[in-house]
Structures are given as structure tokens and as C-alpha cells.
Amino acid sequence: EGVSAYQAGNLQDADAAFRQILKLNENHADANHLLGLVARQNGDNKVAAELISRAIQINPDNAAYHNNLGNTMKDLDRMDEAVASYQNAIAILPDLAPAHSNLGSALRVLGKLQDGKASLQIAIRLEPDTASAHVNLGNIMKDMGRHEDAQASYRNGLNLDPNNLDSLSNMGNLLEEQNQTEEAVD
């Protein structure tokens, strides 16, 4: 019931279902993890981090838990911890493309552009149809001053998802910086 409610966007019912499970078994890893995801969606990242960390204590070999803890740490602006969580996820499941993409984005924030680029390239190799990975790679290319490569990455993202707001906005900003005003407006 909790998973169905969560997938339907009914966070209140999901929260209640996962809390009910935890009343019966406080060491239920999935319930801790999923309740953490509910807390994160409700904007309570501190509680989310505590719950997801509890799930990891119970089941340290679940890559998704580590990836989601990384996302929560990134939201808390604790980038070093986010990077460590993404790396833990990748150590458990090397082909987890979202963890590679998330790691690349976190490394960018830390100014580690080459490492971020490498992580994003792995993510794209694993899942070439994920627009966000192309956008994130474009951001790194832009930061590196490689504007043509950045445009190509943004275009790849737009080809996969023509309504991707990040691709559209980032492409427009890049074109404006290159004094291509008409193209930027389009």
C-alpha cells in the first residue's frame, strides 16, 4: 500500500503505511528507506538522511539506498558526503547509471570537472537515452570552456526530451554568452 501510494504521489498515505510497518518492525530496511524518500519529497532532508542512513545500517549492500542518501546529502549541501554515497552505490552496483550521473554532478559542484566528466560519460554509456546526463555533461563542458561540446550535449538532451527545461535554459544561456542572441531567444 505504501509503495502504491508513493508512486501515485500520495505522500500522506505512503508516510502512514511506512510508519505502520516500522511500528511492527523498526528494522525494516525498505520501510526506513521509503519513509526517507517521503521525507525528502516533503522537504525534510535532515529526517530523510537519518531514515535512509538507518536503512543502510540494516542493509548496507543496497546501491539504491546509497544513491538516494547521496541525493539527500546533495540537497543538504554536504557534497563530500554525497560523493562518498554515490561512490558506495557504484562500488555495490557498477552499472547503476543514475549514481554515475549524480556523482558527476556533485563532482562539478566541488570543481572536479575532469572526474565529473568521466562519471557522466560512464552514465551516458550505460543509459544513452537519459536527457539529464547529457545536460549535466553539457554543464561541465561549459565550465571547462568547451562551448561547442556543451552545445552538443545540450542538443543531445533536447533530442531525447524536447521539453527539458534545463536543456533549453542552459542552451539559451550558453548561446547568449556567445553573443548569439537570436538563437538564444529561440
Side-chain angles (χ1 to χ4, degrees):
E1 288 178 26
V3 170
S4 294
Y6 180 78
Q7 290 173 339
N10 186 342
L11 299 181
Q12 185 174 4
D13 287 352
D15 184 280
F18 299 137
R19 287 185 190 282
Q20 186 175 8
I21 293 168
L22 291 175
K23 280 183 186 177
L24 299 172
N25 178 4
E26 66 183 22
N27 291 321
H28 194 286
D30 284 338
N32 276 285
H33 173 246
L34 292 166
L35 188 58
L37 294 182
V38 169
R40 182 170 179 250
Q41 284 203 342
N42 284 327
D44 196 346
N45 290 311
K46 185 176 178 185
V47 169
E50 292 169 6
L51 288 163
I52 298 170
S53 293
R54 174 83 177 126
I56 291 170
Q57 289 173 349
I58 298 164
N59 182 2
D61 296 327
N62 188 307
Y65 295 177
H66 289 278
N67 187 53
N68 286 323
L69 180 60
N71 292 336
T72 304
M73 292 300 166
K74 190 174 177 183
D75 290 345
L76 289 167
D77 200 28
R78 292 163 53 180
M79 287 303 157
D80 289 328
E81 291 172 83
V83 166
S85 292
Y86 297 137
Q87 289 171 332
N88 288 337
I90 292 166
I92 295 165
L93 191 59
D95 289 344
L96 186 61
H100 286 283
S101 183
N102 293 334
L103 176 59
S105 294
L107 289 168
R108 175 184 178 237
V109 172
L110 292 173
K112 299 178 180 181
L113 301 180
Q114 287 293 343
D115 293 337
K117 175 185 163 197
S119 292
L120 286 158
Q121 288 173 326
I122 292 169
I124 290 168
R125 182 177 47 79
L126 292 170
E127 290 183 8
D129 294 337
T130 304
S132 62
H134 291 278
V135 173
N136 291 334
L137 181 59
N139 293 337
I140 286 182
M141 293 292 115
K142 180 182 174 208
D143 290 350
M144 295 173 89
R146 295 175 53 184
H147 295 149
E148 288 182 19
D149 291 332
Q151 279 188 32
S153 291
Y154 293 148
R155 287 190 201 290
N156 287 337
L158 286 168
N159 287 337
L160 293 167
D161 181 3
N163 297 317
N164 185 296
L165 298 179
D166 288 331
S167 290
L168 291 166
S169 175
N170 294 348
M171 177 68 91
N173 290 335
L174 179 61
L175 291 168
E176 183 179 18
E177 288 174 20
Q178 295 177 305
N179 294 319
Q180 298 178 31
T181 308
E182 287 184 36
E183 293 88 347
V185 169
D186 288 343

